[in-house]
Short mmCIF file of all heavy atoms in Angstrom, two decimals:
data_model
loop_
_atom_site.label_atom_id
_atom_site.label_comp_id
_atom_site.label_asym_id
_atom_site.label_seq_id
_atom_site.Cartn_x
_atom_site.Cartn_y
_atom_site.Cartn_z
N LEU S 615 94.66 151.90 151.16
CA LEU S 615 95.02 152.00 152.60
C LEU S 615 95.72 150.70 153.02
O LEU S 615 96.80 150.77 153.68
CB LEU S 615 93.78 152.18 153.47
CG LEU S 615 93.42 153.67 153.80
CD1 LEU S 615 92.18 153.63 154.66
CD2 LEU S 615 94.49 154.31 154.49
N PHE S 616 95.14 149.59 152.56
CA PHE S 616 95.78 148.44 152.89
C PHE S 616 97.18 148.28 152.32
O PHE S 616 98.17 147.89 152.93
CB PHE S 616 94.89 147.20 152.28
CG PHE S 616 95.57 145.91 152.30
CD1 PHE S 616 95.69 145.20 153.55
CD2 PHE S 616 96.06 145.26 151.19
CE1 PHE S 616 96.36 144.02 153.63
CE2 PHE S 616 96.66 144.00 151.29
CZ PHE S 616 96.93 143.37 152.39
N LEU S 617 97.37 148.83 151.14
CA LEU S 617 98.69 148.84 150.49
C LEU S 617 99.74 149.73 151.23
O LEU S 617 100.86 149.38 151.36
CB LEU S 617 98.60 149.39 149.01
CG LEU S 617 97.85 148.41 147.96
CD1 LEU S 617 97.82 149.00 146.65
CD2 LEU S 617 98.66 147.04 147.98
N VAL S 618 99.10 150.85 151.86
CA VAL S 618 100.04 151.70 152.59
C VAL S 618 100.59 150.91 153.83
O VAL S 618 101.70 151.16 154.21
CB VAL S 618 99.27 152.93 153.05
CG1 VAL S 618 100.11 153.75 154.08
CG2 VAL S 618 98.93 153.82 151.88
N THR S 619 99.72 150.02 154.39
CA THR S 619 100.19 149.31 155.57
C THR S 619 100.90 148.03 155.24
O THR S 619 101.38 147.39 156.21
CB THR S 619 99.03 148.94 156.51
OG1 THR S 619 98.03 148.20 155.80
CG2 THR S 619 98.28 150.29 157.02
N VAL S 620 100.99 147.63 153.99
CA VAL S 620 101.63 146.36 153.60
C VAL S 620 103.09 146.27 154.18
O VAL S 620 103.39 145.15 154.64
CB VAL S 620 101.60 146.18 152.11
CG1 VAL S 620 102.66 145.27 151.66
CG2 VAL S 620 100.20 145.47 151.68
N PRO S 621 103.90 147.25 154.08
CA PRO S 621 105.28 147.20 154.56
C PRO S 621 105.32 146.63 156.02
O PRO S 621 106.26 145.93 156.39
CB PRO S 621 105.84 148.64 154.55
CG PRO S 621 105.06 149.25 153.38
CD PRO S 621 103.71 148.68 153.51
N PHE S 622 104.37 146.98 156.81
CA PHE S 622 104.33 146.52 158.27
C PHE S 622 104.30 145.01 158.33
O PHE S 622 104.48 144.45 159.45
CB PHE S 622 103.18 147.22 159.03
CG PHE S 622 103.25 148.67 159.13
CD1 PHE S 622 102.16 149.45 158.80
CD2 PHE S 622 104.45 149.24 159.57
CE1 PHE S 622 102.26 150.78 158.87
CE2 PHE S 622 104.50 150.67 159.56
CZ PHE S 622 103.42 151.45 159.28
N TRP S 623 103.95 144.33 157.30
CA TRP S 623 103.73 142.85 157.34
C TRP S 623 105.15 142.19 157.33
O TRP S 623 105.21 140.99 157.54
CB TRP S 623 102.87 142.43 156.25
CG TRP S 623 101.48 142.86 156.35
CD1 TRP S 623 101.01 144.12 156.29
CD2 TRP S 623 100.26 142.09 156.67
NE1 TRP S 623 99.69 144.18 156.50
CE2 TRP S 623 99.21 142.91 156.80
CE3 TRP S 623 100.12 140.73 156.93
CZ2 TRP S 623 97.92 142.49 157.02
CZ3 TRP S 623 98.85 140.27 157.14
CH2 TRP S 623 97.76 141.13 157.24
N THR S 624 106.17 142.92 156.87
CA THR S 624 107.49 142.30 156.77
C THR S 624 108.40 143.06 157.82
O THR S 624 108.27 144.21 158.06
CB THR S 624 108.12 142.61 155.43
OG1 THR S 624 106.99 142.38 154.34
CG2 THR S 624 109.24 141.68 155.11
N ASN S 625 109.28 142.20 158.30
CA ASN S 625 110.18 142.78 159.34
C ASN S 625 111.04 143.95 158.71
O ASN S 625 111.49 143.88 157.58
CB ASN S 625 111.18 141.64 159.76
CG ASN S 625 111.99 142.07 160.98
OD1 ASN S 625 112.74 143.01 160.85
ND2 ASN S 625 111.70 141.44 162.13
N LEU S 626 111.24 144.94 159.53
CA LEU S 626 111.95 146.17 159.01
C LEU S 626 113.36 145.73 158.57
O LEU S 626 113.83 146.30 157.59
CB LEU S 626 112.00 147.13 160.19
CG LEU S 626 112.69 148.47 159.81
CD1 LEU S 626 112.07 149.19 158.81
CD2 LEU S 626 112.93 149.28 161.10
N LEU S 627 113.95 144.85 159.30
CA LEU S 627 115.34 144.53 159.02
C LEU S 627 115.51 143.95 157.62
O LEU S 627 116.32 144.36 156.76
CB LEU S 627 115.81 143.35 160.02
CG LEU S 627 117.24 143.31 160.37
CD1 LEU S 627 117.71 144.68 160.85
CD2 LEU S 627 117.57 142.25 161.33
#
Side-chain angles (χ1 to χ4, degrees):
Chain S
L615 266 180
F616 170 72
L617 289 179
V618 170
T619 58
V620 153
F622 296 131
W623 294 67
T624 317
N625 190 295
L626 178 64
L627 211 56

